[in-house]
Amino acid sequence: MRTQVGIVGAGPAGLLLAQLLHRAGIDSVVLEARSRSHIEGRIRAGLLEQGSVDTLVEAGVGARLMREGLAHDGLDLRFDGRSHRIDLHALTGRRVTIYGQQEAVKDMVAARLETGRPLHFEVEDVALHDIATDHPQITWSQDGVTREVHCDVIAGCDGFHGPSRAAMPPDILRVYERVYPFAWLGILAEAPPVSPELIYARHADGFALATMRSSQLSRLYLQCASDEDPALWPDARLWEALRTRLGAVNEGNILQKGVTAMRSFVAEPMRHGRLFLAGDAAHIVPPTGAKGMNLAVADVRVLAAALTGFFHRGETALMDRYSEICLKRIWKVQRFSWWMTALLHRFSDADPFEHRVQVAELDYLVHSEAARTALAEQYVGLPYDI
Ligand code: FAS
Ligand code: PHB
């Protein structure tokens, strides 16, 4: 088999890249380790920056997003028992949209299948070869048969645990990491959201976030231990903790419960030879800033533009600058996500001084238009470079 771009991973990064390349007349093959039902049922991110919404609409996969997405003009910061609204739209002229990542994945899988171009699910033993040459290949096995595809370029969109980053020569890869001493216990519940917008709560017991998936589906998170066992959180204990931290909550049938680890991670460079990393394969942010999926979209915008220039005009300048351009945004978003995490979570080793400084920073933030504007312009999404 032969193609122009071999894409490993059918998450938001891989699927959006395949769609953008297809619209540019560039052929690709997408390889996904899990089943279609698994990737379409994986509850993950939920909040899209304005730029991500615009990108998905421009890519031709945003029709349902425009119909069903919940546009939000603001969010609440809650601390010391009081909520303070940050008017994102008044401060920036932009807004954010709630639309479950799995819904965007469904839309992009449907679009991919409609093109008739290859999207292989449940592949195994994916391996990348000759990435430093102009003729890289990907091999994999499926139903006991070993297969290979010869590519001009490989896009590693296989998330944090995929094989693409591991295929980079270890002597050129630089890794930056911060693992946080806590995690998030997240639930999806059949209950109307307690507020029409998101509530980020700092509380002595720990952080909590009230978000949603629809007018009848609440998505709620609370800070827990890094190695928390969800089984130790029966529904009654969960609802009590959420009510304490958020002030109020609408209870309902819990459909899904899970623990998400918290880390900041960046791997540099994001390109070696004809291998380009995009999305979680290259970076992870703590979900506090709602940036994981949005960063994947930003990487893919640059990569799609670089590959279009290469295949249509033989240009390599943007390919050569891919890593540099993406990392400029990635590090600003890493800082923002780290800052929001430090501002809102309880650090067990923090002394009383640090607790008071945390509350003082929140108090300054909600009473300063300059500080609110700084938060808002990063939360709705910084302007794209490409
Ligand atoms: P993804 O991980 O989404 O996709 C990678 C794909 O590659 C997967 O489908 C995987 O099956 C596939 N793959 C892996 N190895 C492979 C192999 N060997 N061969 C073929 N395919 C392979 N972000 C937020 O903004 N808010 C949140 O609340 C949030 N919650 C999260 C909860 C969890 C449990 C996790 C893990 C992440 C969460 N994220 C959240 C971050 C998440 O949304 C990512 O940023 C987003 O999925 C990034 O998309 P991709 O880069 O496409 O990676
Ligand atoms: C979500 O809706 O899942 C969500 C929203 C905002 C965040 C994290 C997760 O910061």
Side-chain angles (χ1 to χ4, degrees):
M1 195 189 303
R2 169 134 192 62
T3 189
Q4 290 173 292
V5 183
I7 299 174
V8 185
L15 289 166
L16 178 59
L17 178 63
Q19 176 68 4
L20 291 174
L21 293 176
H22 181 74
R23 288 168 69 93
I26 297 167
D27 195 42
S28 63
V29 168
V30 183
L31 301 172
E32 168 55 49
R34 309 303 297 266
S35 66
R36 177 178 182 182
S37 61
H38 179 88
I39 69 168
E40 292 185 348
R42 220 168 18 194
I43 308 282
R44 278 190 172 170
L47 187 130
L48 295 177
E49 295 174 348
Q50 179 88 53
S52 295
V53 171
D54 298 344
T55 302
L56 291 170
V57 170
E58 287 156 19
V61 290
R64 190 161 68 99
L65 160 57
M66 295 307 285
R67 286 197 310 273
E68 299 176 13
L70 303 174
H72 285 189
D73 284 354
L75 61 86
D76 276 359
L77 290 180
R78 181 176 178 81
F79 61 99
D80 281 353
R82 290 187 55 214
S83 291
H84 307 263
R85 185 166 185 266
I86 307 291
D87 191 335
L88 302 169
H89 191 254
L91 290 164
T92 68
R94 293 160 73 81
R95 48 175 58 94
V96 292
T97 299
I98 285 287
Y99 190 69
Q101 175 174 319
Q102 76 277 14
E103 301 309 326
V105 166
K106 286 176 195 167
D107 298 335
M108 291 192 279
V109 166
R112 180 63 179 180
L113 296 178
E114 206 173 300
T115 68
R117 300 312 297 145
L119 165 52
H120 299 289
F121 291 105
E122 300 183 85
V123 301
E124 297 175 307
D125 311 319
V126 167
L128 287 67
H129 309 275
D130 301 330
I131 62 172
T133 74
D134 293 352
H135 311 289
Q137 309 112 50
I138 308 173
T139 56
W140 73 95
S141 60
Q142 189 149 29
D143 306 328
V145 176
T146 300
R147 306 185 62 184
E148 73 175 8
V149 59
H150 292 258
C151 321
D152 294 311
V153 168
I154 296 176
C157 303
D158 42 354
F160 187 67
H161 301 289
S164 294
R165 188 175 69 250
M168 303 278 278
D171 58 328
I172 69 151
L173 203 61
R174 294 182 305 281
V175 164
Y176 303 83
E177 186 165 26
R178 166 73 51 88
V179 178
Y180 296 90
F182 40 73
W184 280 10
L185 176 58
I187 63 170
L188 188 67
E190 286 174 322
V194 71
S195 161
E197 295 176 332
L198 274 62
I199 305 171
Y200 286 83
R202 180 217 178 267
H203 188 276
D205 293 355
F207 168 81
L209 169 61
T211 173
M212 64 208 65
R213 289 295 178 268
S214 73
S215 59
Q216 296 307 313
L217 263 185
S218 292
R219 177 80 165 141
L220 296 142
Y221 300 93
L222 58 76
Q223 175 182 347
C224 64
S226 310
D227 58 355
E228 192 69 56
D229 176 0
L232 298 179
W233 286 84
D235 294 5
R237 182 188 177 198
L238 248 174
W239 290 120
E240 184 51 37
L242 286 165
R243 184 177 300 105
T244 302
R245 301 182 194 191
L246 291 164
V249 69
N250 293 329
E251 297 190 20
N253 176 37
I254 296 177
L255 299 170
Q256 190 256 2
K257 201 182 282 187
V259 174
T260 299
M262 302 278 282
R263 78 174 72 235
S264 299
F265 177 92
V266 181
E268 297 182 3
M270 293 170 60
R271 180 251 179 126
H272 179 70
R274 290 297 178 89
L275 171 60
F276 293 80
L277 304 180
D280 277 18
H283 42 73
I284 297 286
V285 283
T288 325
K291 292 302 178 189
M293 181 172 163
N294 293 298
L295 263 186
V297 171
D299 291 348
V300 164
R301 288 173 57 96
V302 182
L303 186 52
L307 297 181
T308 301
F310 174 66
F311 285 111
H312 287 343
R313 299 182 293 278
E315 295 165 358
T316 57
L318 205 45
M319 287 168 88
D320 295 342
R321 293 189 58 224
Y322 169 71
S323 191
E324 169 210 336
I325 292 169
C326 289
L327 286 167
K328 267 173 71 70
R329 183 186 192 87
I330 288 161
W331 275 108
K332 283 183 263 190
V333 169
Q334 284 284 354
R335 189 214 63 82
F336 174 70
S337 303
W338 162 83
W339 171 74
M340 275 196 81
T341 302
L343 183 65
L344 292 163
H345 287 75
R346 183 178 58 78
F347 289 75
S348 53
D349 61 350
D351 62 27
F353 175 83
E354 287 164 317
H355 282 296
R356 294 301 298 267
V357 162
Q358 203 178 41
V359 174
E361 181 166 8
L362 278 163
D363 192 39
Y364 162 69
L365 176 59
V366 298
H367 292 100
S368 158
E369 182 167 348
R372 292 200 306 279
T373 305
L375 184 153
E377 69 176 1
Q378 296 176 88
Y379 193 83
V380 298
L382 297 173
Y384 289 128
D385 297 303
I386 298 279

